[in-house]
Amino acid sequence: MEKMPFRESMMTTELSVSTMTAPVVSSDWKKGLPVLSAGTVTLREMRLSDAPSLLVMLTTEEVARFISPPPTTIAGFERFIMWANAERQAGRYACFAVVPKGMDTAIGIFQVRQLEPGFASAEWGFAIGSAFWGTGLFTSSAQLVLDFAFGTLGVHRLEARAAVRNGRGNGALRKMGAVCEGLLRRSFLRNGEYLDQHLWSILDIDWRQPRPTSKFTIN
Ligand SMILES: CC(C)(COP(=O)(O)OP(=O)(O)OC[C@H]1O[C@@H](n2cnc3c(N)ncnc32)[C@H](O)[C@@H]1OP(=O)(O)O)[C@@H](O)C(=O)NCCC(=O)NCCS
């Protein structure tokens, strides 16, 4: 998520999303993101009321050390949520809140931003509170976001950048089927230091290959 802007939704539209094998490019998401569910996680539009929990979850040292600096206050997260809402309405960006079953507020986010008008190429990024690492929440959420990106946004090529030192971030991308295409030398300035990053990509044709039977259901 290094290159993803961490800036500033509230409208939620309940849409039915089916498992996608061919692109069903739709612009409905610009009016409000669909609610996506799988197993023990729900992805939905961020709400202003998520700001306090996102502040707690995403500003710890272990979560923030390899990503663009998150806001440092509740008001900062509220501005980020309002910015995300405006960018989604403009059709440039989508940011899902990660909400575990039994909870009301967000414990993480998944972002997708267009790298060119129309989303043919796009970049994704993600961050989850460390209490939820290694629980399967990431994998369930990532599957939903990838289906949304390739099936709804019509993404052809989805990139991600991860600092080489970010073992979990790189491991998470690898296990979602991303291909490491190379090294972006000294490409990410963090805490006054330029870090090398891996460039990862997933193509729509890769994502549509038959995969092992999914344990995820999409409501
Ligand atoms: C990235 C993130 C969302 C992944 O969620 P997570 O719950 O930690 O991910 P998972 O545990 O499901 O998967 C991580 C994988 O990396 C592996 N991994 C962990 N440490 C690793 C390391 N040092 N080197 C290589 N792989 C590693 C894990 O074993 C796991 O693979 P497995 O499930 O096959 O065993 C979460 O760690 C996070 O929010 N990190 C901080 C923000 C961030 O770095 N975002 C990504 C920027 S690219």
Side-chain angles (χ1 to χ4, degrees):
M1 174 146 90
E2 282 71 4
K3 287 288 177 184
M4 301 292 287
F6 218 129
R7 300 188 211 127
E8 320 340 285
S9 181
M10 294 155 290
M11 294 173 54
T12 299
T13 306
E14 304 266 352
L15 297 179
S16 165
V17 178
S18 59
T19 305
M20 291 143 184
T21 53
V24 185
V25 179
S26 157
S27 61
D28 286 353
W29 65 272
K30 295 179 191 172
K31 297 181 193 139
L33 293 179
V35 176
L36 311 174
S37 298
T40 59
V41 70
T42 295
L43 302 185
R44 58 156 173 78
E45 191 103 49
M46 290 187 296
R47 301 172 183 151
L48 287 176
S49 56
D50 292 321
S53 62
L54 288 177
L55 176 69
V56 170
M57 293 286 160
L58 303 187
T59 57
T60 59
E61 161 64 15
E62 65 269 28
V63 171
R65 65 184 160 164
F66 295 126
I67 61 176
S68 301
T72 54
T73 61
I74 291 176
F77 266 97
E78 288 173 346
R79 281 194 298 276
F80 166 66
I81 292 165
M82 288 187 286
W83 173 86
N85 188 42
E87 285 294 292
R88 190 255 303 137
Q89 282 177 336
R92 294 188 286 256
Y93 171 87
C95 185
F96 285 97
V98 178
V99 184
K101 194 172 185 178
M103 292 180 66
D104 287 331
T105 51
I107 59 90
I109 58 170
F110 276 72
Q111 312 180 77
V112 185
R113 76 174 172 106
Q114 65 178 18
L115 292 175
E116 60 181 298
F119 268 100
S121 59
E123 181 179 11
W124 69 322
F126 32 76
I128 290 176
S130 56
F132 297 87
W133 291 3
T135 62
L137 214 61
F138 166 76
T139 313
S140 309
S141 306
Q143 297 253 12
L144 291 169
V145 172
L146 290 169
D147 278 341
F148 176 78
F150 293 116
T152 302
L153 297 177
V155 171
H156 159 64
R157 173 188 162 83
L158 188 64
E159 296 184 0
R161 286 157 177 74
V164 169
R165 288 186 206 159
N166 186 354
R168 288 203 91 85
N170 286 293
L173 286 160
R174 182 178 290 109
K175 81 173 178 181
M176 296 316 297
V179 172
C180 188
E181 296 184 332
L183 184 68
L184 304 172
R185 296 181 305 156
R186 293 171 61 82
S187 54
F188 177 51
L189 181 62
R190 190 72 177 101
N191 291 330
E193 182 186 10
Y194 280 106
L195 304 180
D196 292 347
Q197 293 177 289
H198 287 307
L199 174 65
W200 296 86
S201 75
I202 305 175
L203 302 183
D204 53 353
I205 48 175
D206 301 333
W207 187 245
R208 292 201 179 86
Q209 293 292 323
R211 294 185 295 280
T213 310
S214 170
K215 53 184 181 220
F216 307 107
T217 55
I218 301 177
N219 300 322

